[in-house]
Amino acid sequence: VQLQASGGGLVQAGGSLRLSCVASGNIFSIYVMGWYRQAPGKERELVAIIPSGGSSNYTNSVKGRFTISRDDAENTVFLQMNSLKPEDTAVYYCHALLQTTLFQLRTYWGQGTLVTVSS
């Protein structure tokens, strides 16, 4: 199983970016997909998660600005980021909790995509 993230880049404060992450491989079912981020010198933190058939959750600092969504038919999770702030600058990682076709419950991480917000 692999997670491939894309969509990062350089944007001015107040701008928008949309991240995408596609899961591929021997996947039976994806239970939870999410986005984490790690800023320079800081620990990785949860940004948003979306369970299958459930309600999404966000860290307080992005509520009202970021929206997480998923396309289960394409095993893809998105993160729409609006009103970006310099403090949103970080490497963003997608994450999935899924069941493989061998019925193993596993977590997987994408390779990370850099988001840089200039002031």
Side-chain angles (χ1 to χ4, degrees):
V1 175
Q2 290 185 327
L3 271 61
Q4 181 69 43
S6 61
L10 174 63
V11 64
Q12 289 188 331
S16 298
L17 282 175
R18 189 185 193 220
L19 305 182
S20 301
C21 177
V22 181
S24 61
N26 297 324
I27 299 169
F28 179 75
S29 181
I30 302 179
Y31 298 119
V32 182
M33 301 191 84
W35 291 94
Y36 290 69
R37 67 186 179 187
Q38 187 166 17
K42 295 187 177 181
E43 293 187 352
R44 190 174 298 188
E45 65 169 350
L46 173 67
V47 176
I49 57 170
I50 182 167
S52 176
S55 300
S56 53
N57 284 280
Y58 301 87
T59 190
N60 286 337
S61 62
V62 307
K63 286 181 179 178
R65 300 188 297 122
F66 291 10
T67 302
I68 189 170
S69 61
R70 58 190 283 177
D71 182 340
D72 289 335
E74 300 294 332
N75 288 338
T76 301
V77 62
F78 305 97
L79 186 67
Q80 178 66 43
M81 305 184 294
N82 299 327
S83 302
L84 282 160
K85 304 175 180 180
E87 50 264 43
D88 295 317
T89 294
V91 177
Y92 284 70
Y93 298 89
C94 60
H95 171 268
L97 172 64
L98 59 85
Q99 192 168 42
T100 70
T101 53
L102 297 178
F103 300 103
Q104 297 169 319
L105 191 63
R106 294 281 187 268
T107 60
Y108 292 90
W109 293 91
Q111 84 283 8
T113 184
L114 178 62
V115 172
T116 304
V117 184
S118 62
S119 57

